[in-house]
């Protein structure tokens, strides 16, 4: 009798796995959402910053925006932060905005990180990885350089150095 129930449970589990797998494959095949790439429009977002204020990508229309996905545990992320901050300081008066999207770490962890690196650009919290998923970010850091029209000009996966940031911004501001 116990074997009969075990078999039914196995069949139910098997069917559930098939349904979930089918849904996952189907939703990714038929999703209208495209993977953001160079030349495409950057996905819109509205996130709350460490300062408690909501920020939207559309708030920065007409400006060059750097969207940097990072986490405090990511070694390349904390290695590139001084370069990002230095370039932000250099270009902010020319309309360049940096938005650091943290991957849903605790506010204390994020604030400690921000203080440690003296970051002055807005830090937004990506609750439940919604923007990470919309931007299809799979490794950290990942950075998007977005022009004033909202188009992705450059997508950089991995650590950036100061020269790369400066060259990218110089080229974008010439447009």
């Amino acid at each position: 009798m116990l074997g009969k129930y075990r078999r039914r449970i196995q069949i139910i589990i098997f069917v559930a796995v098939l349904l979930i797998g089918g849904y996952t494959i189907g939703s990714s095949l038929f999703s209208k959402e495209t993977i953001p790439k160079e030349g495409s429009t950057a996905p819109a977002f509205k996130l709350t910053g460490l300062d408690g204020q909501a920020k939207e990508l559309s708030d920065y229309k007409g400006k060059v925006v750097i969207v940097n996905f990072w986490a405090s545990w990511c070694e390349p992320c904390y290695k590139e932060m001084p370069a990002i901050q230095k370039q932000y300081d250099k270009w902010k008066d020319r309309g360049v905005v940096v938005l650091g999207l943290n991957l849903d770490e605790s506010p204390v962890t994020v604030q400690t990180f921000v203080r440690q690196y003296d970051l002055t650009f807005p830090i937004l919290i990506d609750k439940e990885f919604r923007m990470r998923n919309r931007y299809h970010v799979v490794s950290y850091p990942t950075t998007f350089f977005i022009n004033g029209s909202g188009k992705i000009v450059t997508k950089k996966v991995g650590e950036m150095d100061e020269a790369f940031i400066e060259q990218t911004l110089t080229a974008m501001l010439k447009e």
Side-chain angles (χ1 to χ4, degrees):
M1 184 113 151
L2 185 59
K4 191 177 185 181
Y5 289 116
R6 181 177 287 153
R7 183 80 174 140
R8 284 184 183 166
I9 291 172
Q10 288 173 335
I11 290 171
I12 290 170
I13 291 171
F14 178 72
V15 169
V17 167
L18 282 177
L19 289 172
I20 292 169
Y23 173 77
T24 303
I25 291 169
S27 64
S28 63
L29 286 176
F30 300 109
S31 172
K32 294 185 188 242
E33 195 168 297
T34 59
I35 296 175
K37 59 184 179 217
E38 293 176 2
S40 67
T41 299
F45 60 78
K46 181 177 184 176
L47 295 171
T48 303
L50 276 182
D51 61 2
Q53 301 296 313
K55 307 250 190 299
E56 294 184 56
L57 183 58
S58 61
D59 294 340
Y60 305 102
K61 186 175 172 105
K63 297 181 182 238
V64 169
V65 180
I66 299 172
V67 177
N68 176 257
F69 288 85
W70 66 278
S72 65
W73 46 261
C74 161
E75 184 176 345
C77 297
Y78 62 76
K79 282 184 171 180
E80 77 177 2
M81 280 300 172
I84 294 172
Q85 180 63 50
K86 191 168 182 182
Q87 288 300 304
Y88 172 66
D89 289 340
K90 179 177 180 174
W91 298 98
K92 66 184 175 187
D93 292 337
R94 299 225 8 230
V96 172
V97 175
V98 174
L99 301 174
L101 272 64
N102 179 265
L103 303 172
D104 201 17
E105 295 181 282
S106 77
V108 171
T109 300
V110 176
Q111 288 170 344
T112 300
F113 186 91
V114 168
R115 278 193 301 272
Q116 179 180 354
Y117 292 97
D118 289 324
L119 303 179
T120 60
F121 51 85
I123 302 297
L124 310 177
I125 306 301
D126 185 16
K127 294 250 183 242
E128 301 161 4
F129 306 117
R130 290 181 322 195
M131 290 308 106
R132 180 195 75 173
N133 294 337
R134 285 194 70 200
Y135 276 77
H136 295 268
V137 172
V138 293
S139 63
Y140 313 107
T142 296
T143 306
F144 294 84
F145 290 79
I146 302 166
N147 69 16
S149 301
K151 300 283 185 194
I152 297 169
V153 174
T154 302
K155 175 183 177 183
K156 171 72 169 135
V157 178
E159 182 182 342
M160 299 182 295
D161 61 20
E162 197 172 332
F164 175 83
I165 300 166
E166 184 163 17
Q167 289 168 358
T168 303
L169 290 174
T170 299
M172 290 177 72
L173 290 169
K174 284 182 181 177
E175 294 178 355

